[in-house]
Amino acid sequence: MEEEYRIPLTSEDIFNAVYEGDKPGDVIVFDELESTNSYLMAKGEEFNNFTVVIAKRQTKGKGRLSRSFYSPECGLYMSVLLRPDILNTQLTYITPSVAVAVSQAIEKVFGIAVGIKWVNDIIYRGKKVCGILTEASIDPLENKPRYVVVGIGVNVFTPEGGFPDEIKDIAGCLSDSSADRVKFIHFICEIIHNIRKYCQGEALFNNHSEYVRRSVVMGKRVSYSKNGGLTCARVAGITDAYSLLLETDNSGIDEIASGEISIRAQDLYV
Ligand code: BTN
């Protein structure tokens, strides 16, 4: 496995034009990794805040809830190391803030509007185009994380031969135009820039309205597992700490802080 090159991905000219001198930390690009998240989680102690690891393809891409993430060479698979000064209980702010950061990058670079399906999926034309996996190294004796790794997987272009049968009905991509290939580096820079903007200091706690504005689940009927069974409810709100408020059929309010909800495909359109 050959490490290809280190910092920065872009030419100085483009970089300065877009970021006005706001430089990210190291960017390390690999042709192939098992998983950019696994790589950074294993080596987190060695790297600075905002180190970015990118793989052109992953052989064991990880998703949430122990799922795999299909990672052929037509997507963006990147992980960012963060050392936020937050409590473990505040880790729930990271994934939604990254969802806002990536959504804005998509909108700016590709000129398309995307929505967010609670909690970590970015949706375009009713299909998932991006998933986010946040992992943290926790010291059991401390109530602050040692470091956090945010993994972002974006289906930028359609894979050759299309998506595998298991995901072809739910996975989408951002673009089918080969002309958009030149936007790849701009897209990466924009994500890094936005993560720095939204995921550090007080800014981490100020992304709620941007998140809710893009939510595709607000007011919709969804199902979720509870006490070993499937429950249906209407999404009534998203709390400041990004828990989902659900109005159940007997008019009770349920609050879930993690997990997954299912929603009818036609309700996913922005
Ligand atoms: C999900 O949708 O469940 C989350 C998917 C996260 C995938 C990204 S790709 C880059 C990083 N490395 C991984 O192994 N996973 C994340």
Side-chain angles (χ1 to χ4, degrees):
M1 204 183 306
E2 277 295 297
E3 188 174 314
E4 274 215 316
Y5 53 90
R6 235 171 226 265
I7 197 171
L9 271 170
T10 57
S11 81
E12 196 72 5
D13 284 350
I14 298 167
F15 193 79
N16 286 339
V18 177
Y19 301 107
E20 291 164 1
D22 177 22
K23 307 251 188 287
D26 265 1
V27 178
I28 311 169
V29 181
F30 291 89
D31 274 344
E32 182 177 290
L33 274 183
E34 284 194 351
S35 152
T36 54
N37 260 44
S38 302
Y39 177 87
L40 262 186
M41 279 302 288
K43 292 176 179 277
E45 298 292 0
E46 297 169 28
F47 292 119
N48 293 329
N49 201 10
F50 291 108
T51 295
V52 177
V53 171
I54 296 172
K56 293 179 186 169
R57 54 185 180 273
Q58 297 183 120
T59 53
K60 281 193 187 160
K62 294 191 291 186
R64 286 174 72 240
L65 311 171
S66 306
R67 295 183 184 135
S68 59
F69 190 81
Y70 182 61
S71 312
E73 200 169 325
C74 55
L76 171 62
Y77 316 107
M78 68 185 273
S79 298
V80 185
L81 183 91
L82 302 175
R83 298 187 185 282
D85 185 17
I86 57 171
L87 303 171
N88 290 335
T89 51
Q90 294 171 322
L91 282 166
T92 55
Y93 287 82
I94 293 188
T95 297
S97 299
V98 172
V100 168
V102 177
S103 297
Q104 280 196 6
I106 292 172
E107 288 160 1
K108 180 163 178 183
V109 176
F110 293 91
I112 57 177
V114 291
I116 301 174
K117 174 180 171 275
W118 186 88
V119 59
N120 71 320
D121 291 344
I122 298 181
I123 306 292
Y124 175 53
R125 292 184 172 157
K127 293 192 166 177
K128 172 169 171 170
V129 289
C130 169
I132 296 158
L133 172 69
T134 300
E135 300 183 275
S137 169
I138 307 274
D139 179 342
L141 301 175
E142 297 282 337
N143 57 4
K144 292 181 166 200
R146 284 194 205 99
Y147 56 86
V148 175
V149 172
V150 176
I152 300 157
V154 190
N155 306 326
V156 183
F157 302 107
T158 309
E160 249 181 74
F163 288 102
D165 283 349
E166 314 85 80
I167 56 170
K168 71 174 192 307
D169 293 334
I170 51 170
C173 63
L174 294 181
S175 170
D176 272 325
S177 160
S178 54
D180 278 345
R181 292 191 184 265
V182 295
K183 296 181 175 170
F184 214 86
I185 288 175
H186 182 191
F187 184 40
I188 293 166
C189 289
E190 203 57 38
I191 293 174
I192 296 169
H193 175 76
N194 287 351
I195 288 178
R196 286 164 63 91
K197 184 166 158 196
Y198 296 121
C199 301
Q200 56 183 333
E202 272 307 298
L204 181 66
F205 304 105
N206 294 329
N207 302 317
H208 184 259
S209 57
E210 277 296 295
Y211 182 87
V212 170
R213 194 169 70 74
R214 291 186 172 79
S215 174
V216 292
V217 302
M218 205 61 88
K220 305 267 176 71
R221 274 191 76 72
V222 298
S223 58
Y224 56 105
S225 45
K226 189 185 167 188
N227 304 332
L230 208 60
T231 301
C232 288
R234 191 187 70 88
V235 175
I238 294 171
T239 69
D240 287 351
Y242 299 101
S243 288
L244 200 63
L245 296 174
L246 297 143
E247 192 182 295
T248 58
D249 289 346
N250 58 12
S251 296
I253 293 283
D254 234 357
E255 181 171 333
I256 54 173
S258 61
E260 193 169 57
I261 52 172
S262 300
I263 178 168
R264 291 185 319 171
Q266 65 261 43
D267 283 344
L268 279 176
Y269 280 79
V270 198

